[in-house]
Amino acid sequence: MQDDSLTILIADDSNTDRLLLEAFVRKLGHRTITAVDGVEAIECFHRQQPDIVLLDALMPRMNGFEVAAQIRREVGDTFIPIIFLTALTEADSLAQCLEAGGDDFLTKPYNSVILKAKINAFRRMLKMHGTLQEQRDEIARYNEHLLREQDLAKRIFDKVARPGYFKANNLRFSMSPMAMFNGDILLVALQPSGNLLALLGDFTGHGLAAAVGAMPLAQTFYGMAEKGFALKDMVRELNAKLYEVLPTGVFCCACLVELDFEHHTLQAWNGGLPDLFLVHGREQRIERIPSKSLPLGVSSSDAFDPAPGMYEMEPDDRVFLRSDGIHETVNAAGDMFGEDRLEAILHRDIPMAAMFDAVMQAVNAFAEGTERTDDVSLVELVMVPKQAFQTGSDVVPLVRELQGPVDWALDYELRMDSIRSFNPLPLMLHILLEVPGLRGHAGDIYTILSELYANAVEHGVAGLDSSMKETHEGFVGYYLQKEQRLRELADAWVRFHIEYRGDDNGGCLRIVVEDSGKGFKEVPDMTMPESGGQFSGRGLPLLKTLCRSLTVLSPGNRVEAVYDWQYKQSRA
Amino acid sequence: MTEPVSHLDQAVIAELQGIMGDSFGLLVDTFRQDSLGRIESLRQHVAGGAAEDVRQVAHSFKGSAANLGALQLASLCQSLEAMGKSADLADAPVRLQHVETEFTYVIAELEALLPG
């Protein structure tokens, strides 16, 4: 339809009327094709693909109604106006024309004014329909493109989120397989200290927007967790990263929790997600951990509070993390599942281990008979004794170094201001993990560094006596006193001296931590304490089991640890 | 002196002549042949009592006649069509006679319009 002229098929067995109509149509500037009966009309239609079909109702061989029905079947979505030519006047006969697939009818005697008006009207409809189809096809192409991009985003999203410890034996979760499309993300990592870290996030928006945000989120999370950063530092950094990367209006409601299996404590930070439920089994008490901060990526200002709360847990106590999917689940009557129903299930007299399934079953039963709009994300983390915790997987480090420094030494001195406010361990660990193959020993290395540093700061610089830590009250008092002393001290230091030599089979790490303190009054007892679970005295004797040698150098303000390691069997 | 009664709608004829131009003669000729064929088949169907066939042929004849402005002829065809439809052909022979007579007037008038 480049110009305004159309190709019009005229099918009529009456020679007079056909001749006449052909002349009428040509006079209006259109091309004509003519057929003398229904069969010929179909043939002409196939051969010449007319824009409009004018059909006599009564024709030999195949009548107009049959012709119209067949054309409609053949062209499907394509719009071909069919106009019946008829001397019929009864309403029901005219209705029959329309029912057979006709779009209009033209009654004899023909009137050139009416014919012109009808053809013009259908030409406008054809143009409109053509435009609509073009737009529809364009939308279909865009949609296909979008689906491809979403598929790509999903693959990236899955890869980025995947290298987590999802098989940990104290973890259960339900995430929609379409999680990416509702913007929910779960990340689980292990600190070098052995603490388990989990992040549940809910991005505003979904699809690509969520995937774009998920990448820096996951990389920062896993990267920092691996290096042993504190939860607070991670939250601050995640916020800064997302604030930097995400456009305004896109952010991530999230909660981060850290389970310390040694001290049976939970650190939890909630920014914008529904309350976490901390279930204390023995006390039959549910503690809610509400959001106390802006979500990640909203603001870089002081309004953002990265400080986590600290909670005590006993073995088998559990904490539930969730996005808004559960309480926003709607039943057939349009009611929301809500907070109260959820809390009521946790209050029910059922075994702790059955709670997760009970919640999921209740939500599914509630939503029965509805089309789910938001998928449910629920995560359960259980406090277990340290020796009972199993990661369930061998997570391969993101990067497998083939080359790195093999022979070096490092001296690093922290002055008083740094000792008070800075945690040097992630930095030191970061340097050490650049050593080929040492990543697999990050837990040991972290323990050695942290214990030597704690020893230097607490006993050396602050001059505290570890026997204070033997009771819980003393433990708290001990740390209060530590803060106090560190505030008062004006001039003190802690020095790290690290030497490393390695070869193809493994290597040897020598770590000396020296402090400005006076040293020990007497050489500490280096044997392991009889019972576990004591807070004090754990440090240095524990290291002895990890290291080839551990030596306190006179006058007691220098401790040397020598750590040997070999490539693990699993090395590819 | 009175105007001779026309069997054709002059406005329709004028429009047809305008649209058909040189083909007006072909149109008249086609109409004549179509009509003679239809009259012949109407005779057979009326004689044979084939009411449905009478209805269909009369219907087509009516359409063509109307298209050429032969309104009286179209009206006669319509009454014949109605007889076919009601399956009562008692008066059909007489009505067909009227159709034939009217057709001779119409075609004479149309041919008179042709040059030469």
Side-chain angles (χ1 to χ4, degrees):
Chain A
M1 281 205 302
Q2 288 300 318
D3 54 339
D4 274 353
S5 84
L6 304 171
T7 300
I8 297 179
L9 171 62
I10 299 166
D12 194 338
D13 63 320
S14 167
N15 298 327
T16 307
D17 299 343
R18 192 174 64 247
L19 191 65
L20 190 58
L21 189 55
E22 200 182 348
F24 269 81
V25 171
R26 283 197 178 157
K27 191 80 181 172
L28 294 174
H30 304 295
R31 294 174 297 275
T32 56
I33 316 163
T34 55
V36 300
D37 60 41
V39 173
E40 202 178 302
I42 293 286
E43 286 168 7
C44 288
F45 180 80
H46 287 159
R47 206 166 47 236
Q48 317 242 23
Q49 300 188 322
D51 301 308
I52 298 180
V53 176
L54 305 179
L55 274 183
D56 188 27
L58 299 176
M59 287 187 291
R61 294 215 281 168
M62 185 188 245
N63 71 34
F65 303 128
E66 292 167 324
V67 173
Q70 184 166 337
I71 289 176
R72 281 280 173 261
R73 272 199 305 277
E74 287 180 13
V75 300
D77 280 351
T78 310
F79 179 50
I80 303 285
I82 296 176
I83 302 174
F84 276 99
L85 308 171
T86 179
L88 302 174
T89 43
E90 296 92 352
D92 59 336
S93 301
L94 296 176
Q96 197 187 353
C97 295
L98 300 182
E99 273 168 28
D103 296 294
D104 201 352
F105 42 80
L106 190 64
T107 53
K108 299 171 188 179
Y110 296 143
N111 178 306
S112 67
V113 176
I114 290 175
L115 180 68
K116 183 179 178 181
K118 290 198 174 187
I119 288 178
N120 285 343
F122 280 110
R123 183 173 50 206
R124 281 195 296 276
M125 280 175 71
L126 279 167
K127 272 190 178 161
M128 218 178 333
H129 194 81
T131 308
L132 271 177
Q133 280 198 322
E134 275 170 32
Q135 288 173 345
R136 183 198 63 181
D137 293 348
E138 200 168 341
I139 289 169
R141 279 195 300 277
Y142 278 136
N143 192 49
E144 199 182 317
H145 185 69
L146 185 70
L147 289 178
R148 268 205 308 275
E149 287 201 334
Q150 285 189 337
D151 182 58
L152 181 70
K154 178 166 166 40
R155 272 189 264 168
I156 295 171
F157 186 90
D158 288 347
K159 269 221 167 71
V160 163
R162 196 170 42 86
Y165 287 83
F166 295 113
K167 290 179 185 162
N169 65 343
N170 69 332
L171 166 70
R172 288 189 70 187
F173 61 92
S174 166
M175 301 284 289
S176 157
M178 298 296 283
M180 192 202 106
F181 294 99
N182 60 27
D184 287 0
I185 183 169
L186 174 64
L187 306 172
V188 184
L190 210 56
Q191 291 267 29
S193 62
N195 291 358
L196 189 71
L197 274 170
L199 181 157
L200 179 68
D202 181 1
F203 279 95
T204 52
H206 54 275
L208 276 178
V212 164
M215 278 182 267
L217 182 78
Q219 280 174 344
T220 307
F221 176 82
Y222 286 129
M224 292 185 83
E226 188 182 43
K227 297 187 181 81
F229 278 95
L231 194 66
K232 183 178 178 178
D233 296 330
M234 291 181 66
V235 172
R236 186 187 285 116
E237 180 64 18
L238 287 169
N239 181 56
K241 199 79 179 173
L242 291 189
Y243 181 72
E244 176 192 324
V245 167
L246 298 181
T248 309
V250 182
F251 52 86
C252 183
C253 294
C255 62
L256 272 85
V257 296
E258 177 172 345
L259 272 77
D260 182 336
F261 303 116
E262 190 150 358
H263 301 109
H264 293 171
T265 54
L266 167 77
Q267 286 188 74
W269 177 89
N270 184 356
L273 278 188
D275 293 2
L276 279 63
F277 287 114
L278 174 53
V279 183
H280 297 280
R282 194 173 51 77
E283 302 166 45
Q284 297 193 312
R285 179 167 68 88
I286 293 177
E287 194 171 355
R288 297 177 76 130
I289 305 176
S291 165
K292 285 186 176 164
S293 169
L294 289 173
L296 298 173
V298 173
S299 162
S300 63
S301 74
D302 296 340
F304 182 80
D305 179 7
M310 176 75 92
Y311 307 87
E312 291 193 26
M313 291 178 85
E314 292 181 33
D316 209 36
D317 286 356
R318 52 204 66 214
V319 61
F320 289 92
L321 287 51
R322 63 207 163 98
S323 65
D324 50 16
I326 289 183
H327 69 256
E328 285 182 0
T329 296
V330 172
N331 70 3
D335 299 326
M336 292 216 291
F337 190 77
E339 298 272 316
D340 295 345
R341 281 193 182 83
L342 179 59
E343 196 164 353
I345 295 168
L346 300 180
H347 273 300
R348 235 190 267 161
D349 189 18
I350 50 173
M352 300 272 276
M355 284 178 171
F356 184 90
D357 290 327
V359 171
M360 293 308 295
Q361 277 163 14
V363 173
N364 287 327
F366 186 76
E368 190 146 313
T370 65
E371 220 173 288
R372 304 291 289 270
T373 49
D374 197 353
D375 288 289
V376 169
S377 296
L378 180 67
V379 180
E380 177 197 65
L381 288 153
V382 185
M383 177 55 69
V384 294
K386 189 175 175 79
Q387 58 275 18
F389 173 70
Q390 287 167 12
T391 63
S393 55
D394 244 349
V395 170
V396 182
L398 291 172
V399 184
R400 185 190 299 277
E401 298 87 350
L402 297 173
Q403 294 198 324
V406 293
D407 184 7
W408 52 269
L410 167 84
D411 283 293
Y412 184 61
E413 181 177 298
L414 287 147
R415 307 272 162 76
M416 202 52 228
D417 282 346
S418 300
I419 293 171
R420 268 196 288 265
S421 60
F422 177 70
N423 174 8
L425 299 178
L427 175 69
M428 307 298 290
L429 197 63
H430 178 73
I431 292 168
L432 288 168
L433 293 189
E434 293 300 312
V435 169
L438 209 50
R439 214 166 262 263
H441 302 268
D444 288 354
I445 306 280
Y446 181 84
T447 305
I448 295 167
L449 281 172
S450 63
E451 291 301 343
L452 291 183
Y453 184 64
N455 177 62
V457 172
E458 292 167 17
H459 305 310
V461 172
L464 296 166
D465 184 347
S466 68
S467 63
M468 271 186 76
K469 287 195 282 184
E470 278 169 12
T471 62
H472 181 74
E473 291 72 25
F475 187 79
V476 175
Y478 178 84
Y479 280 101
L480 290 174
Q481 205 168 338
K482 172 187 156 191
E483 297 290 315
Q484 170 87 21
R485 296 235 180 131
L486 290 181
R487 264 200 306 278
E488 290 165 1
L489 276 170
D491 191 21
W493 47 260
V494 174
R495 286 187 194 129
F496 289 84
H497 173 78
I498 301 177
E499 280 177 37
Y500 176 73
R501 263 204 82 79
D503 57 29
D504 288 347
N505 300 317
C508 174
L509 192 64
R510 181 169 163 264
I511 302 172
V512 179
V513 179
E514 182 179 0
D515 62 69
S516 57
K518 294 192 295 286
F520 295 95
K521 290 186 186 108
E522 52 195 278
V523 175
D525 180 9
M526 299 290 257
T527 58
M528 281 292 281
E530 295 297 317
S531 63
Q534 299 292 316
F535 286 176
S536 71
R538 290 292 296 275
L540 297 183
L542 172 72
L543 295 193
K544 198 149 193 197
T545 66
L546 297 175
C547 299
R548 166 155 49 102
S549 71
L550 183 73
T551 318
V552 179
L553 300 164
S554 184
N557 66 339
R558 286 171 69 205
V559 182
E560 178 197 70
V562 180
Y563 181 79
D564 289 328
W565 67 275
Q566 289 175 341
Y567 275 109
K568 288 194 168 171
Q569 297 296 324
S570 61
R571 188 183 173 217
Chain B
M1 202 175 152
T2 54
E3 283 285 310
V5 177
S6 175
H7 296 266
L8 296 172
D9 183 324
Q10 294 305 319
V12 172
I13 292 300
E15 193 188 5
L16 287 183
Q17 284 177 312
I19 286 169
M20 300 300 295
D22 292 344
S23 300
F24 185 70
L26 175 64
L27 179 68
V28 171
D29 196 38
T30 304
F31 177 64
R32 185 169 53 77
Q33 285 178 28
D34 272 359
S35 301
L36 290 176
R38 282 167 173 154
I39 287 167
E40 180 54 34
S41 77
L42 281 172
R43 277 189 196 128
Q44 287 172 18
H45 294 320
V46 166
E52 174 57 21
D53 291 335
V54 169
R55 182 187 77 79
Q56 286 200 15
V57 176
H59 175 85
S60 296
F61 201 176
K62 176 187 75 177
S64 297
N67 269 337
L68 271 85
L71 301 184
Q72 176 63 20
L73 179 58
S75 168
L76 290 167
C77 287
Q78 186 173 359
S79 71
L80 205 51
E81 181 188 354
M83 290 174 191
K85 190 173 186 182
S86 64
D88 179 6
L89 298 181
D91 296 330
V94 175
R95 192 54 46 87
L96 178 56
Q97 191 57 55
H98 293 158
V99 166
E100 289 182 44
T101 307
E102 177 66 14
F103 172 69
T104 56
Y105 290 126
V106 166
I107 198 67
E109 222 173 293
L110 283 171
E111 284 173 343
L113 295 169
L114 301 179

